[in-house]
Amino acid sequence: MSYFRYIDNGKGPTKLFIGGVHGNEGLTSLKFLKRIDIEDLSPGQFYFYNFDKTPYISTIRKEYYESELGLRILDLIGELQPDFYTELHCYNLKNYEKLTSMERYRQTGIPPLIKLGNHILVSSVSPLIRMTYFTTDTVCKTLEFPCFEKLTPEIIDKYDFDKDLAIKTYEDLLKLILRSPSREHFEKEMMKSHRHQVHLAMKYAEKVFGSDFPPY
């Protein structure tokens, strides 16, 4: 699952993409990272990392950023100082309602993930790093796809999961991040295609970061 790719696409924003953040998520994120084509990219510098399996520690716990991989990711952020930072995660489809419920906020202080459609979930990155390792101008996104290895026929049927539509929804957002030449462009396009989700993200950001902090 270990994978690294660097693309020098000229003058433009620096974009860092991380897969395999914890557990066995790299099996799913690698499939998307390998499908990225040079034609999908804005001008700029692109760094793609996918990591091998590690013990699962949630990124909303400070212990994650004390782990070997957590510290390595923080080093990459500090070294590259990306203008766009994207984590490619996956989740167990059984936890769809749990991850998108406000009960998550009541229990942890972390807002729920936002439903983008077709079982794709999005959010900002962990509050533990959003305010301390990035500026307010940085575009920080977490993308969640149902883990491929957990998509049994029974689960697919129970949750009425359409794999093709899910892949398209996920890759449409991923490509928007890849192609956006600036935060302003990204915000404008998000408002066009996902206005409801943007307003929800703004509401959640205000709860955690305050009224002057961006939703991603």
Side-chain angles (χ1 to χ4, degrees), residues 29-215:
S29 54
L30 184 59
K31 295 180 184 296
F32 290 103
L33 290 174
K34 284 190 170 182
R35 285 162 61 97
I36 291 170
D37 189 271
I38 189 72
E39 295 179 355
D40 296 326
L41 310 182
S42 69
Q45 304 295 301
F46 292 79
Y47 298 84
F48 303 94
Y49 287 86
N50 199 74
F51 294 105
D52 292 325
K53 183 178 180 179
T54 57
Y56 185 91
I57 306 173
S58 172
T59 56
I60 66 174
R61 293 174 54 194
K62 63 181 180 62
E63 289 83 2
Y64 178 80
Y65 297 102
E66 296 169 352
S67 70
E68 181 178 353
L69 182 52
L71 289 169
R72 185 174 179 188
I73 291 172
L74 292 181
D75 284 344
L76 286 171
I77 294 169
E79 176 185 351
L80 299 174
Q81 297 185 11
D83 301 290
F84 286 73
Y85 174 71
T86 306
E87 291 182 359
L88 287 76
H89 290 259
C90 74
Y91 74 99
N92 191 328
L93 198 51
K94 292 180 180 178
N95 295 326
Y96 180 74
E97 295 300 333
K98 179 180 178 181
L99 291 171
T100 57
S101 169
M102 278 303 293
E103 187 62 27
R104 184 175 192 246
Y105 178 71
R106 288 187 283 270
Q107 291 182 354
T108 67
I110 306 297
L113 298 171
I114 295 172
K115 300 176 183 179
L116 196 67
N118 299 311
H119 296 96
I120 302 306
L121 307 177
V122 296
S123 72
S124 183
V125 296
S126 171
L128 293 175
I129 63 172
R130 180 63 183 96
M131 296 185 72
T132 53
Y133 287 87
F134 302 99
T135 71
T136 54
D137 289 331
T138 311
V139 176
C140 294
K141 295 301 296 180
T142 290
L143 281 59
E144 296 265 4
F145 190 94
C147 298
F148 280 117
E149 71 274 17
K150 297 182 184 298
L151 290 174
T152 64
E154 293 78 16
I155 291 293
I156 289 173
D157 183 63
K158 180 177 180 179
Y159 293 93
D160 193 25
F161 178 70
D162 188 316
K163 184 178 178 181
D164 291 337
L165 283 177
I167 289 174
K168 184 181 186 308
T169 301
Y170 190 92
E171 289 193 327
D172 281 351
L173 179 54
L174 180 58
K175 287 179 181 180
L176 174 57
I177 297 170
L178 290 163
R179 292 171 177 167
S180 290
S182 65
R183 165 177 271 279
E184 291 74 21
H185 178 271
F186 178 76
E187 289 180 342
K188 181 180 178 181
E189 294 303 311
M190 283 294 289
M191 284 297 288
K192 284 182 183 178
S193 54
H194 300 292
R195 180 177 294 272
H196 169 72
Q197 287 85 352
V198 170
H199 285 299
L200 196 55
M202 292 170 67
K203 174 184 174 182
Y204 291 163
E206 184 172 359
K207 284 179 177 293
V208 178
F209 305 125
S211 57
D212 296 328
F213 215 83

